[in-house]
Amino acid sequence: MYLKMHLLSRRAYRGLLFSQGSMAVCLQRGKSLIKPCLFRNISLSCQRYTIMASWIIDRYGRNDVLRFTNNMMFPIIHFPNEVVIKVHAASLNPIDVNMRNGYGAAALNAKRDPLKLKSTGSEFPLTLGRDVSGVIMECGLSVSYFKPGDEVWAAVPPWKQGTISEFVVASGNEISHKPKCLSHVEAASIPYVGLTAWSAMNQIGGLNQDNCSGKRILIFGASGGVGTFAIQLVKAWGGHVTAVCSQDSSTLVKKLGADDVIDYKSGDVAEQLKMLPLFDFILDNVGGPTEKWSPDFLKKWSGATYVTLVTPFLLNLDRLGVADGMLQTGVTIGTKAVKHLCKGIHYRWAFFTPSGQSLDEIAKLVESGKIHPVVEQVFSFSEVPKAFLKLEGGHARGKTVISVINKK
């Protein structure tokens, strides 16, 4: 009897090592441990890969903190709704430069470790990059809409490990099937800026294809990643776009559909706007002094809305800590919202929101020819530091993309 129990326990232990997910299901259904489970086959990452190539940082700072390694730990599926993606292309956004410098570290670490169980600096080594276009290599047990081999695109939240690596883990509700009409390089240029613009204009601003027709929209910072996407989104919904950018970007924004272009270098922008009718919606990608005077160009008491993507939220948390920073942020947004409401306009903040469902809607617009990728420059995987310097120089004309497959 003792020998039989000993053999059974050894078999159960061996099965637990090699079929942990399936064995748990068998236990729930009351099946014997020594019988094979007729369940979906799933290959574990550690059986195929243990390390991968990645660009990481070990501390916050300027561009010299970027470091290439061939020994980054291979990403592991921790939850049943996650997938492992082989990265074909990624792209950079201003948040990547800011995160490299330490921007938002307090808030992002609080999200990563809400109970503060880990030591300071536990986020390192940290991989940057939010956009990804690639191929699914492995799916968690509860992922039903995707399978290995599917081409997908996504924008990974900033508290997760980033996409400037050979592989990345993403949640199933963060990914979407890549539009077939786009290459991976083209597709990687859209998710983060597309979802940011979608959040600002649709989820926060309330604009959509049913109510945007004929409305006048003013966009500051129109030649950057979010701006170029927002122009196309408004035009797809039938709106009128006035774009504020430099003269050398005017050809680009007009090609994307802008009806009027204001050159901020040719004179005072406020004076130039006085020559135009008032607006129904303002999207501000610039912030600073622009926020003080631009709401005056909205139609009063008509539901007009000012939405800014430049907020003090993460800065407050970095400077004051999570609790005091949240309190200060609440006071700031509340005060400004009431102040502008008294003037007959709505004042809102908007943030990037990861959403596979929203990417599905964006994919439909791409496949119908209403949204086009705007890629300014493509760098190889070995040129990541150069890509950061390019983005850090400002004056973007679309997106900076990294071809991860191209290692040279």
Side-chain angles (χ1 to χ4, degrees):
M1 181 65 179
Y2 172 79
L3 180 60
K4 289 176 67 177
M5 290 297 296
H6 179 68
L7 290 174
L8 179 60
S9 64
R10 289 189 63 184
R11 290 175 181 175
Y13 177 72
R14 190 183 305 119
L16 187 62
L17 283 177
F18 294 103
S19 187
Q20 195 171 21
S22 298
M23 191 61 64
V25 174
C26 290
L27 287 171
Q28 290 175 1
R29 295 185 180 182
K31 294 183 180 179
S32 171
L33 284 173
I34 61 175
K35 292 182 179 180
C37 295
L38 299 178
F39 207 78
R40 191 177 103 178
N41 291 327
I42 179 167
S43 56
L44 301 180
S45 304
C46 57
Q47 293 180 344
R48 295 178 299 159
Y49 303 97
T50 56
I51 57 175
M52 64 176 180
S54 180
W55 281 92
I56 62 174
I57 61 173
D58 300 299
R59 67 186 190 280
Y60 298 117
R62 302 192 65 80
N63 214 49
D64 58 353
V65 302
L66 288 168
R67 179 172 69 87
F68 176 79
T69 178
N70 277 311
N71 298 311
M72 185 64 173
M73 183 181 296
F74 189 87
I76 298 172
I77 290 177
H78 289 99
F79 301 98
N81 68 329
E82 291 181 331
V83 300
V84 175
I85 301 172
K86 179 176 176 57
V87 181
H88 283 236
S91 71
L92 297 182
N93 299 279
I95 191 174
D96 295 307
V97 175
N98 293 334
M99 286 179 63
R100 185 204 66 192
N101 295 337
Y103 170 76
L108 297 177
N109 284 335
K111 178 67 175 179
R112 296 179 185 119
D113 183 25
L115 299 179
K116 296 184 179 181
L117 300 177
K118 300 178 181 178
S119 60
T120 302
S122 61
E123 70 268 31
F124 301 117
L126 181 63
T127 303
L128 302 173
R130 311 270 55 92
D131 293 296
V132 58
S133 181
V135 177
I136 291 181
M137 301 296 291
E138 181 180 320
C139 295
L141 291 175
S142 70
V143 176
S144 57
Y145 292 102
F146 304 95
K147 64 184 185 301
D150 284 352
E151 293 188 332
V152 295
W153 63 346
V156 180
W159 54 86
K160 294 186 177 181
Q161 286 286 18
T163 61
I164 310 178
S165 60
E166 288 185 319
F167 299 89
V168 69
V169 164
S171 171
N173 57 17
E174 295 165 357
I175 65 176
S176 170
H177 288 101
K178 178 183 75 68
K180 294 181 179 179
C181 60
L182 298 184
S183 67
H184 285 292
V185 166
E186 292 172 326
S189 70
I190 292 179
Y192 186 85
V193 296
L195 290 172
T196 302
W198 190 275
S199 171
M201 308 192 79
N202 177 262
Q203 297 174 352
I204 303 298
L207 297 178
N208 55 58
Q209 61 182 357
D210 298 321
N211 64 13
C212 193
S213 180
K215 288 189 176 180
R216 294 179 51 80
I217 315 297
L218 174 61
I219 300 175
F220 290 97
S223 64
V226 174
T228 53
F229 184 92
I231 291 171
Q232 298 180 82
L233 184 61
V234 172
K235 296 308 297 181
W237 289 342
H240 180 283
V241 175
T242 298
V244 179
C245 59
S246 61
Q247 178 60 39
D248 55 357
S249 300
S250 61
T251 300
L252 170 64
V253 298
K254 286 180 180 177
K255 182 179 178 181
L256 295 175
D259 300 285
D260 296 315
V261 179
I262 302 294
D263 177 15
Y264 67 83
K265 292 184 178 180
S266 66
D268 185 72
V269 175
E271 291 298 322
Q272 297 181 65
L273 289 174
K274 288 179 181 178
M275 302 172 61
L276 301 175
L278 295 176
F279 298 93
D280 299 286
F281 186 95
I282 293 177
L283 177 63
D284 187 358
N285 296 299
V286 177
T290 306
E291 182 180 314
K292 296 180 180 178
W293 55 263
S294 60
D296 294 336
F297 293 93
L298 287 169
K299 299 174 182 177
K300 306 298 187 294
W301 306 107
S302 64
T305 304
Y306 168 90
V307 177
T308 180
L309 294 168
V310 185
T311 76
F313 174 60
L314 293 181
L315 288 176
N316 283 343
L317 270 62
D318 286 339
R319 182 171 56 91
L320 302 173
V322 175
D324 290 342
M326 291 287 287
L327 178 61
Q328 179 62 52
T329 298
V331 171
T332 301
I333 181 63
T335 301
K336 290 186 175 183
V338 171
K339 173 185 173 182
H340 287 84
L341 190 60
C342 292
K343 295 181 180 180
I345 57 178
H346 298 288
Y347 175 93
R348 300 285 188 270
W349 289 355
F351 304 90
F352 157 74
T353 304
S355 170
Q357 186 176 5
S358 296
L359 278 177
D360 289 341
E361 296 299 318
I362 293 172
K364 293 177 184 177
L365 293 172
V366 171
E367 290 173 338
S368 66
K370 296 179 179 179
I371 298 287
H372 302 276
V374 182
V375 178
E376 182 178 14
Q377 192 170 351
V378 180
F379 292 86
S380 69
F381 194 46
S382 64
E383 298 176 314
V384 168
K386 292 182 180 179
F388 270 83
L389 289 176
K390 160 69 180 63
L391 183 64
E392 201 168 6
H395 306 290
R397 307 289 180 269
K399 289 298 296 291
T400 299
V401 179
I402 298 168
S403 177
V404 177
I405 292 296
N406 181 7
K407 298 292 194 298
K408 296 182 179 180

